[in-house]
Structures are given as C-alpha cells and as structure tokens.
Amino acid sequence: MTALLIKGGRLLDPGKGLDEVGDLLIVDDRIEGVGKVDAPADATVIDATGLVVVPGLIDMHVHLREPGNDEEETIDSGAKAAAFGGVTTVIAMPNTDPPIDTEAAAEFYRLQGKRSGMANVYPVGCITKERKGESLAEMGGLDRGGAIAFSDDGDSVRNTDVLRRGLMYAKMFDKPILEHCEDPHLAIGVMNAGPVAVRLGLSGNPAAAEEIMVSRDLSLAEITGGRLHIQHVSTGRAVDLIRRAKAEGVDVTCEATPHHFTLTHDEVESFNPVFKMRPPLRSAGDVAAVREGLKDGAIDVIASDHAPHSNEEKDLEFSLAPDGVIGVETMLSVTLTELVHTGVLTLGQAIEKMTAKPAKILGLEDKGTFSAGKDADVTIIDLEKSWTVDRLKLHSKSHNCPFHGREMKGKAVITVVRGRVVVNER
Amino acid sequence: MPFEWTHKHLLGLEYLTAEEITHILDTAESLHEVSMRSIKKVPYLRGKVVVNLFFEPSTRTALSFKLAATRMSADVLDFSKATSSAAKGETLVDTAKNIEAMGIDIVVVRHPVPGAAHRLAEMLDASIVNAGDGAHEHPTQGLLDIFSIRRKLGKIEGLTVAIVGDIAHSRVARSNIWGLTKLGAQVICVGPPTLVPGALRDMGAEISYRLDDVLPECDVVNMLRIQQERQGALNFPSLREYSRLFGLNAERMKKAKPDVIIMHPGPMNRGVEITPDVADGNRSIILEQVTNGLATRMAVFYLVSGGAQDDSAVD
C-alpha cells in the first residue's frame, strides 16, 4: 500500500461544488479522503499550499497518430505531452492508419495506453467501416474492445442516413457520437472564407459549411433521440444552433478548442501553415461568440483537437500543408490565460469543462471528480506561473504549435495519474 | 530630399505606400529610354546574379524578367518546374536552400500557392521579387499596368478603372486594386458574383455585375483573362454566356468614352473576354503594356538591389 498526501491546497472540484483549502489523500490508485483526512505516518507528502488541486483533466479530442504515423506522435509521446499539460485522460480519435474500426484495434489502443502510464488513454471507435461514411462499423465489437465513443472525426459522416442509423445504434451502448461538422462539398477552401481570404487570394471555407452540418446533425439527434456531441465548434451561428437545440431538449453537447476561442483568421496573413486547421480560424466575431457560448454553458467542454504533423509534412506553402495543430500540452494554460485571468470564465467553470463535463459525456464515472473510491487522477495548478510557449520544448513529437512565443499565465505543475506522480515541475 | 527606398523585397503592392509606388514608376520612367538606345544596356546590376524561379508556366513574364535583368547587366539563370497544386511543396524549400548555397542576389519567383514568395523571403538572404503567387499578388504586372496608364493619361488620381473578369482567382486584379486605389483612382471590379467576391470592397474597390452600366464612366478598362483552367468549380455556365455578358466587343465599345483605354495582361482568349477588333483597335494599349513591363521590372531590380547606394561602384 502506497499513500500520497496532497496537503494544504485549494481543492477545486466543480462537479460537486467543492472549493476549499484542504488535504487530499490517495492510497494506491484510488482517492481515499478529501478535506480533513487521516493520513498514515509513512505517506508521501506534497505541499500544495498556494496551489489549486483539481481532478485530473480530460482532453476529449486528441490525435495520437499511432498506428500509421508514429513519426508524428505515438500513444506514449502523446500521453507524455498530455501529462506535462496537466491532462491525465486522453481521448484518442480513430482516424489513424488503419482507422480504429474493429474490436482488435480498440483493444490495441487500450493496452498501449496502459503500457505508457503517463496518462489514461481511451480510444474512440469509428462510426463507419474504414471511416468511409458508407456503412456502420461494428460498434458492439468496438465497445467490447474499449472504445469510449464513436466518431469519424476528420470528416462528417457524409451519408445522412448512415449517421441517422449510427445515432440510433449507438444508443445500445450508451455512448455518444462525436461529430466533426463540415459539409464536404462546401468546405473545400484552405482558410475561413471572408475578407482575409479574398485579400490573400486563398480559397475560402465558409462558416456555413460547419453550420449546415451542425444543423443537419441536430435534426438527426432530435428524431433519433441519440446522443450527439459536436466537436470543435467555431462559428457564432453554430453556437446559436446548439444553444437553441439544447433549450428544446435535444440530447446534444459540444466542445470548443483553445485555438478557436483565442486566434482569428488574421493570423493567416503570415502565410504560416501553423495556423491551418479544420474548422479554420474564424473571425473576431466568431471568437467572441465561442467565448460567450463557453460562458453561458452552450459549450460544455474545452478540448484541444491535438493534431500533430511533422515539420517535413506541415512546413509547406500554406495551401499544400495538412490541417491541424498540437494543443494537449497548452490547453490548460491557454484557457487560464485567455478565459480565466481575463474574467470570461471563473476558474471553476473552466475546470468543469475539462473534468466533470467530459467525464459525464463519456460516462467516465470514476473520473473528473474527487470522492473516496474514485480514480486518483489529480492535476495541481500554479495559477500565477508565467511562462512562454516554446514549441521545441513541448513534449509532443511534433512542433506545429500555433501558440509558439505567447506569454502564458498559469500552468499545471504536478500531474498524478492513478496515484503515481508522473510530472513534478515545482 | 531624395527618396529613400527601404524594401529588400517586392512581395506585393499591398505592402507599399503611394510614395513608394510613385517612386518605382518614376524610376521606370527614367529607365524607359534605355530600350530606345542602340546599346540597350546599363551596368546597374553588373556582377549580380538573378534567378528566375518559375513553378508555373509563363511566357511573357519570364521573358520580360529575363530581358530586364539582362539589360541591367545581371547574370541570369532560369529555373522552371511545373508543379501541380496537388504535388508536395518540398521543391520550394529545397530549391530555395540550393539557391541560397549558390550565392544568388535576386530571386524572381512564380508559384501557384499564395504566400510562396513570402516564405522565400523568410528563408533566404536574397531579395525576392514576386512574379505571381497563386491568386494573391503579381506586383510587377500591377506596376506595369499603372505605369502604362500614367504614360497614356498622364495621371492616376481621379481616374475610373474597371477590372473585368475572374477577380476571385486573379493576382493581377489584386495588385491593380492595391496600387490604383493607393494612388487615388476609383477601381470597379466587374464580373459575375461567383467571380467577384463582396469582400473586395474591404480592399477599396467597388463592385458591379453589369459591364454595360459601368462602361460609360470608365477611363480605363482592364480585361482579365478568363482562366479556363481554373473554372473547375463551375463559376459560370458556359464561355458563350460569359462572353455575352462580359466580353468586350465593338458593339459594347460604343457605350464607352471615346478616349477610353483598353488593357489586357495576356495571354488573351480572343473571342471570349475580348474580340480581336477591340484587342487590336486604336484604344488598345495591350502591346505597350508588354513594352512597359521591361522598364518597370528594370526599375524593380534597380531598387531592390539597393541600386542608388551602389552607384559609386558603377562606371
């Protein structure tokens, strides 16, 4: 038996409304006590005075590139990057090569994640076979193999009827469908359609491409009663559509990424492909609307859409470069800097969107909260720590970070995964 | 006080002030007479090496740059390699590094992707002259168009200039819009809404979908090539219909001012955007544009190579 005592920190667990200075006792890989605890004499002690102690963060949108592109990221390297960002649970998207569309593939993921130990890794299974959008993957097998949700992320499910059936079929396993919303016929540009694209002569990907798919998917969620989670919402109208659907009782949740609530399409003026992703960076008005959605709860979750690409592949002329940016390691710091220190969200709201909310959506009952018997995943945060993002010092195998050179305020300094201190940067 | 030129590169007219553009035009004017001499050479770029790096097919622009550099006494290398936009872009980075290793002074680059010249400017020590980056800018074409208008009409300020055609995919249009509006002209972009994005207004241009309404006001009409190779997205139903709505022909010319000037950056699709009688008629300055391109590009070479500072080294 190993005991770990985290002493004197500000215990913040928005899921159960806890916010008080106290102690947290961990025995082996479980939480033993919260608040006033009886620690054994031989417990290892971490003095968390002046720090914020929160349930381990969950990033429900990460690309780990293994199998297929392990020069860009592996399950192990991605888990390490997560741990250094205070993220203890990583939800891995299935658009690998080959895609995670079978029981065996899902199981491989679970086992590799366990081997790594730097973070809990859960795979998402494909909605459709080979992620082609044509016919349903064996969701039952994926479920048995350990898939935690279903998604064809990278693309919308092209065939509307297939998605309809997917939303219905997934109800059997009580698992959500995570949808990447972009109309494939309309979303053919390389940046947000609008004045900047026109000025730069780059092809435009209109906000409507996202909104049309969000609207379609909300209608399908309504008629099927299926559980829909919309990924990386980036436009003002998409936020509105989701807000309205929620008010009407549709079972829908959604997420926003740090780059979509921080950066605008003006960044593309540099022609630097590190600002190229899907959905693209939008207008300042969209950024404001996403922030408003985070504030009023229309947007449930903050997730990174961590998408590593090697320099050789990414550092091309803008139009030729692949989509995607890394972000699992900077998610917490960007959120604290851009949303919490600026007063857009309270610290509790921000943490809830990375703990209790994703845990609830994904059915991770033992995560995202502090209670006796729950998994001992803990993130300890220094709210005032100033640091500058250096893409080469981050722990991902890839360096395509859009926040390179930015000043941050706030950082995870200690990360505990299943009772083990995996990062200690104090 | 003499004008001080501070730019190492020419990436686009968006990044220049009205004074800087005027300075290029004035420099071009003084170099124009070189082409009238019996010995058509000046020594300003002697000992310098210019490379023409063309990743897209081009005839007149490549030739014009080559001749301009030759008349400035530079050594000129040509490198052309067609790349489809589907091909991976390593060639740009790798080629650029190789060029740097050869000690080249000026790189003239044409590339199908917007921002390609900007990336080279970040990577290399050489001066970069953008000879067209995708649909973004083609600054020397913009300059030579403006130079041609100024030579013909004596001024730019107060003129009304229509640019007609596929504005959405045109680097020539963008460079013309920036340059002309900075110098005080009114620019009207004309074409079907599928090829004339509303956001052009943010760049200072006006928009019209009816050539016939605009023609009577124009001092200059610049007819763009309808790029059939870029029409995969089906922005209009047929060339016949395009020609009927936006083609410039003798009948339509009756609506224009008698002293209007007609321009075209080439290569022309005769019978599509412009009929031969108009292209070759007495209001057309299409061939003068080509001639003026030389002086304009000589001026650009002179300025980006720091011409004035090096005068002491010249005979």
Side-chain angles (χ1 to χ4, degrees), chain B residues 162-234:
Chain B
I163 305 175
V164 184
D166 183 358
I167 316 290
H169 301 102
S170 174
R171 51 195 172 214
V172 176
R174 283 176 181 74
S175 290
N176 265 280
I177 293 168
W178 288 123
L180 288 166
T181 55
K182 281 171 198 253
L183 297 184
Q186 177 194 32
V187 176
I188 309 174
C189 294
V190 186
T194 44
L195 297 177
V196 182
L200 291 165
R201 293 193 182 94
D202 296 347
M203 295 170 64
E206 293 173 37
I207 285 173
S208 171
Y209 307 131
R210 293 169 180 273
L211 182 56
D212 291 327
D213 291 358
V214 168
L215 265 183
E217 305 166 29
C218 294
D219 302 297
V220 179
V221 180
N222 195 346
M223 301 300 295
L224 299 181
R225 168 184 171 75
I226 272 297
Q227 308 200 48
Q228 298 182 59
E229 68 272 19
R230 292 194 205 265
Q231 291 310 321
L234 302 175

Side-chain angles (χ1 to χ4, degrees), chain B residues 71-143:
Chain B
R71 289 200 171 161
M72 300 291 278
S73 306
D75 296 316
V76 186
L77 300 178
D78 289 312
F79 178 94
S80 66
K81 178 168 185 169
T83 56
S84 75
S85 57
K88 292 252 177 181
E90 286 93 342
T91 46
L92 180 66
V93 177
D94 286 345
T95 311
K97 284 178 181 161
N98 278 286
I99 283 164
E100 185 165 51
M102 285 189 270
I104 285 187
D105 299 289
I106 301 176
V107 177
V108 177
V109 61
R110 166 167 293 188
H111 195 281
V113 169
H118 300 65
R119 289 189 65 79
L120 284 190
E122 284 166 19
M123 281 187 275
L124 302 187
D125 283 335
S127 287
I128 309 298
V129 176
N130 184 2
D133 60 326
H136 180 223
E137 281 226 41
H138 188 354
T140 59
Q141 180 72 43
L143 288 166

Side-chain angles (χ1 to χ4, degrees), chain A residues 362-397:
Chain A
L362 297 163
L364 289 168
E365 287 168 6
D366 288 335
K367 299 202 180 294
T369 186
F370 289 144
S371 299
K374 303 284 186 190
D375 292 347
D377 298 332
V378 182
T379 302
I380 304 181
I381 302 167
D382 181 346
L383 280 182
E384 303 301 321
K385 182 168 180 168
S386 291
W387 65 291
T388 305
V389 179
D390 179 344
R391 66 197 193 109
L392 297 177
K393 287 189 180 152
L394 298 174
H395 295 81
S396 170
K397 276 182 125 174

Side-chain angles (χ1 to χ4, degrees), chain A residues 113-350:
Chain A
K114 277 192 182 136
R115 241 168 247 153
S116 158
M118 289 294 279
N120 307 291
V121 177
Y122 294 90
V124 171
C126 290
I127 300 169
T128 65
K129 287 195 181 90
E130 296 175 61
R131 215 175 63 84
K132 283 183 172 168
E134 290 163 3
S135 61
L136 294 183
E138 289 181 349
M139 289 185 181
L142 286 164
D143 178 52
R144 276 166 50 102
I148 194 169
F150 303 105
S151 179
D152 277 3
D153 180 40
D155 297 292
S156 293
V157 176
R158 194 178 275 253
N159 183 321
T160 305
D161 188 48
V162 172
L163 181 61
R164 180 179 69 92
R165 290 168 203 273
L167 279 160
M168 292 164 71
Y169 197 76
K171 288 201 282 186
M172 251 195 302
F173 315 104
D174 200 22
K175 291 192 158 53
I177 295 276
L178 321 176
E179 258 274 277
H180 172 126
C181 289
E182 278 190 305
D183 180 298
H185 302 293
L186 204 50
I188 48 174
V190 300
M191 71 171 290
N192 185 40
V196 182
V198 167
R199 183 147 35 92
L200 299 180
L202 289 167
S203 53
N205 174 351
E210 178 175 338
E211 293 150 1
I212 285 166
M213 276 305 183
V214 167
S215 185
R216 178 195 78 163
D217 290 5
L218 291 171
S219 296
L220 292 178
E222 188 173 10
I223 60 169
T224 59
R227 282 181 57 199
L228 175 66
H229 175 84
I230 293 174
Q231 301 182 295
H232 41 48
V233 174
S234 74
T235 86
R237 183 167 294 167
V239 178
D240 276 344
L241 288 165
I242 295 164
R243 186 183 285 120
R244 210 177 314 150
K246 282 181 164 183
E248 289 165 3
V250 178
D251 192 358
V252 60
T253 54
C254 69
E255 72 196 25
T257 70
H259 48 271
H260 287 126
F261 65 65
T262 304
L263 307 172
T264 70
H265 57 181
D266 289 340
E267 301 286 350
V268 182
E269 301 253 9
S270 66
F271 291 109
N272 187 341
V274 81
F275 299 111
K276 187 180 180 194
M277 74 290 288
R278 280 185 180 276
L281 296 177
R282 305 287 189 188
S283 70
D286 290 312
V287 170
V290 169
R291 288 181 174 219
E292 191 54 41
L294 285 161
K295 193 183 171 102
D296 69 17
I299 301 173
D300 306 86
V301 167
I302 294 169
S304 72
D305 193 5
H306 178 82
H309 288 291
S310 65
N311 268 349
E312 301 83 75
E313 197 192 28
K314 181 74 170 172
D315 196 20
L316 301 180
E317 298 88 300
F318 195 87
S319 308
L320 305 180
D323 299 299
V325 298
I326 58 171
V328 68
E329 193 169 345
T330 48
M331 175 172 76
L332 172 65
S333 289
V334 175
T335 301
L336 294 173
T337 308
E338 293 290 330
L339 301 181
V340 175
H341 287 302
T342 55
V344 176
L345 298 184
T346 64
L347 180 62
Q349 286 174 316

